[in-house]
Amino acid sequence: MRHSVTSRIRGKGVLTSDGAWGTLMLEKGLAAGECHELWNVTRRDEMYSIARSYLDAGSDLIETNSFGGNVFKLQRYGKADKVEEFNLAAAAISRLAAGNEAIVLGSMGPTGKLLMMGDVTEGQLYNAYKQQALSLEAGGVDALILETMSDIDEALIAVKACLENTACEVVCTMTFEKTGEKSFHTMMGVSPTQMAEELTKAGVHVIGANCGNGMIEMIDIVREIRAANPHIPILVHANAGNPVYRDGKTFYSDTPEHMASLVNPLIEAGASIIGGCCGTTPDHIRLMAEQTALFNRNNRLV
C-alpha cells in the first residue's frame, strides 16, 4: 500500500525527513566524478546502511539515491541505458530499509539542460522525467520529490510528467540564493512566491526549498512561501551551514545542536517537513527529530 505524505502530516503533525546521502557516500569512499547511482547496483549494502542510519535517527521519510538518475545526467557516464535499472534499485533499497512504516521519496534532480538555451525540447524533458518517475514508482516509492530545481519551466514539465504518469504524490523544492536582506531567488530568477503560486496551480502536493542555505536563511524562505499559500505543506532540506574547504576536504559549519535549535522557529514560520541537505548526517537528524517530536507533543498533534 502506498503511503500518503499529506495524510501522514495530518495524522502525525510535523515530520522529520532524512539528511544528505552524498555526504555519507563520500565518507564511504565515493570518488570525485563517480556516478552516485551506480552504487545502487555495485554497493547495495552500503546504500541500505545509509537509508537505515536515517531511519534509526528518527526520520519519518527517506529518499532514494537517484538524484542524478535521469537519462541526461547518466549519459555523462556512458550509462544512459541504465535509467530503469538504477532507479528501480534505488527505490527497492530505500523501500526495504523503510519497511511498511516510513515514507519513501523518490529523488529526482534537474537534468542540467536549459530550455531557454535550446539545449533540450519540452518533449525531451517530459520524457526524461516520465521515464525516471515510472521506474521509481515501479521500485516501490510512495511519493516523488523533484528537488534542487532552479528553472520554473523545467519544474513544471517535471511535475506534469510525474502527475500524468504515476499515482504518486509529488513534492517539488527549489534552491534559492539570497538576493537582498530578506529576498531570495533561484539562479534563474524565481522567487519563493512565484514558485508557490505556479507549482500549486500545477497540482503539486508539497512544495519547499532545499540546498543552498542553512536553517537560518530557510526561515525567511518558508515565511515567504507560507505568505503566498497558507495551506500547502512545506518541506525544508537545509544545508549544515556554509561549506568550508580545508586540506582538500569540505566541512560544514552547523553542528547538530545548532540545527536542532532552529527547528522550532522553522516550524513556526510554516514548515511541515524538516530534514537536511549537504553536510547533514544522522547525528543532525537525530537531534532535529527529537525537537520535532517535542513540538508535536507540546501541540498535542500526536
Side-chain angles (χ1 to χ4, degrees):
M1 182 183 74
R2 182 171 289 112
H3 298 295
S4 164
V5 178
T6 52
S7 294
R8 186 69 60 90
I9 292 169
R10 288 193 296 270
K12 184 173 182 179
V14 180
L15 304 180
T16 302
S17 190
D18 61 3
W21 284 59
T23 297
L24 300 191
M25 291 173 71
L26 287 169
E27 292 177 358
K28 292 178 180 290
L30 181 75
E34 187 176 358
C35 177
H36 289 60
E37 290 71 28
L38 178 61
W39 278 35
N40 295 322
V41 296
T42 61
R43 301 180 69 167
R44 182 185 178 92
D45 289 348
E46 289 181 273
M47 301 317 300
Y48 176 85
S49 73
I50 290 175
R52 276 302 330 167
S53 71
Y54 283 121
L55 292 163
D56 292 342
S59 294
D60 299 297
L61 313 92
I62 57 167
E63 294 196 44
T64 55
N65 177 42
S66 55
F67 177 78
N70 61 71
V71 66
F72 294 109
K73 287 288 182 70
L74 291 180
Q75 70 183 8
R76 298 179 183 178
Y77 303 97
K79 300 185 184 302
D81 61 338
K82 299 294 185 181
V83 173
E84 288 85 1
E85 180 184 357
F86 287 178
N87 283 280
L88 279 167
I93 290 166
S94 290
R95 180 78 277 155
L96 181 64
N100 292 321
E101 295 304 318
I103 292 172
V104 176
L105 302 177
S107 174
M108 303 171 68
T111 61
K113 301 293 184 180
L114 295 176
L115 276 166
M116 65 182 293
M117 299 299 293
D119 291 345
V120 68
T121 67
E122 291 187 8
Q124 288 171 328
L125 279 182
Y126 180 94
N127 287 333
Y129 284 111
K130 174 183 176 181
Q131 180 186 29
Q132 188 179 12
L134 285 170
S135 300
L136 288 167
E137 182 183 41
V141 304
D142 297 300
L144 299 165
I145 179 167
L146 299 156
E147 52 186 345
T148 324
M149 306 298 286
S150 62
D151 182 352
I152 193 65
D153 293 326
E154 180 175 6
L156 291 170
I157 290 168
V159 167
K160 184 178 181 183
C162 292
L163 290 175
E164 289 183 347
N165 295 284
T166 75
C168 297
E169 289 184 323
V170 178
V171 181
C172 187
T173 63
M174 303 194 85
T175 299
F176 299 96
E177 300 173 359
K178 198 165 188 176
T179 52
E181 185 179 348
K182 289 191 176 182
S183 174
F184 294 86
H185 293 82
T186 72
M187 63 182 294
M188 300 296 287
V190 182
S191 69
T193 297
Q194 181 187 356
M195 176 201 71
E197 291 173 347
E198 297 206 33
L199 290 181
T200 301
K201 241 186 289 185
V204 168
H205 300 88
V206 180
I207 58 177
N210 79 291
C211 205
N213 295 282
M215 297 277 273
I216 288 282
E217 294 83 7
M218 287 296 191
I219 292 170
D220 286 329
I221 293 171
V222 170
R223 283 184 181 136
E224 183 176 340
I225 296 171
R226 182 54 73 219
N229 188 307
H231 304 298
I232 194 165
I234 298 173
L235 178 147
V236 173
H237 284 160
N239 286 352
N242 297 314
V244 176
Y245 300 96
R246 187 170 63 246
D247 300 326
K249 294 184 178 181
T250 303
F251 299 88
Y252 285 84
S253 58
D254 287 359
T255 64
E257 291 79 11
H258 177 71
M259 290 190 76
S261 74
L262 295 170
V263 165
N264 272 23
L266 200 53
I267 295 172
E268 289 162 4
S272 313
I273 304 170
I274 301 175
C277 203
C278 302
T280 56
T281 67
D283 289 337
H284 289 84
I285 297 304
R286 183 173 295 104
L287 295 189
M288 292 162 66
E290 289 174 1
Q291 289 301 307
T292 300
L294 182 60
F295 177 89
N296 286 337
R297 284 196 299 273
N298 289 342
N299 288 271
R300 298 180 182 177
L301 293 175
V302 296

